[in-house]
Amino acid sequence: MSRIGKNPVEFAADIKVSANGDVITFAKGNKSVDLDTKGNVSFEIEGTTLTFKNLSDAREHRAFWGTYRALAQNIVTGLTTGYEKKLEINGVGYRAAVQGKVLNLQLGFSHDINYDLPEGIEAAVEKNVISLKSHDKQLLGQVAAEVRSFRPPEPYKGKGVKYIDEHIVRKAGKTAKK
């Protein structure tokens, strides 16, 4: 059984961590992220270390213990280095462009798709690769999944929007039957 909750969360001195009841606030510069533990775990902040303790040995409390520790570590990593996801566009005439806070996608439909980027997400397009960056891991994954869902890759020619490290299992077409 994993005991990831035992590991302390180390953070740099420039990240300010404060607690208000069950809410832990991480702040660096103008970025601030709250983690609401909802009273499922107890925690201690000592210097540049955050440690979590489970409330009991019940299965539910042990699960929350590791989950909140991992969420806190993701917040600290996001504030120090940030996260990035890259999406690749494959297909003739498929294009993407960023205009301010709007991602413009041309994916073979009759109209362009204008996707409004949420606050905290930065996008850049280089040829057929869309780079999404953020300090919030969950929001970044959600935005990347939504962009991919506009035209998921199809198995015959591989056309569509896919993650850069995603492998598409290709199918043979009608001629493979012969």
Side-chain angles (χ1 to χ4, degrees):
M1 185 171 7
S2 175
R3 295 283 184 209
I4 194 88
K6 283 185 180 180
N7 300 336
V9 177
E10 301 284 337
F11 51 90
D14 60 344
I15 296 177
K16 293 173 181 45
V17 179
S18 60
N20 184 9
D22 291 335
V23 179
I24 308 170
T25 303
F26 300 86
K28 180 179 179 184
N30 60 354
K31 297 176 185 170
S32 177
V33 182
D34 291 336
L35 176 63
D36 188 0
T37 62
K38 296 183 171 77
N40 293 315
V41 293
S42 61
F43 55 88
E44 281 184 24
I45 302 168
E46 296 173 4
T48 61
T49 305
L50 172 65
T51 55
F52 289 93
K53 293 186 177 84
N54 55 357
L55 298 177
S56 71
D57 273 342
R59 182 181 178 112
E60 183 178 281
H61 288 145
R62 287 195 322 260
F64 283 130
W65 182 36
T67 300
Y68 283 115
R69 189 264 174 211
L71 290 173
Q73 182 64 54
N74 287 344
I75 290 170
V76 169
T77 304
L79 289 174
T80 54
T81 60
Y83 292 102
E84 180 178 23
K85 289 228 182 220
K86 292 188 176 201
L87 298 162
E88 183 180 9
I89 300 174
N90 291 323
V92 177
Y94 290 9
R95 284 187 285 282
V98 178
Q99 297 149 349
K101 294 294 282 176
V102 176
L103 180 64
N104 180 283
L105 300 164
Q106 296 173 352
L107 299 174
F109 299 116
S110 60
H111 294 349
D112 294 357
I113 298 169
N114 292 320
Y115 182 78
D116 293 325
L117 295 169
E119 198 65 37
I121 299 284
E122 299 171 14
V125 177
E126 211 174 292
K127 292 191 179 182
N128 65 336
V129 177
I130 303 169
S131 298
L132 300 171
K133 295 180 184 175
S134 179
H135 67 278
D136 189 347
K137 188 175 187 179
Q138 189 275 328
L139 180 64
L140 180 67
Q142 182 67 38
V143 169
E146 288 175 7
V147 171
R148 182 185 181 274
S149 72
F150 292 132
R151 179 72 85 169
E154 52 95 13
Y156 297 102
K157 292 185 179 178
K159 291 170 50 173
V161 180
K162 70 178 188 79
Y163 297 110
I164 202 93
D165 56 351
E166 182 180 3
H167 176 72
I168 299 164
V169 178
R170 302 292 288 270
K171 289 182 177 179
K174 293 188 225 175
T175 57
K177 214 173 194 179
K178 294 181 183 177

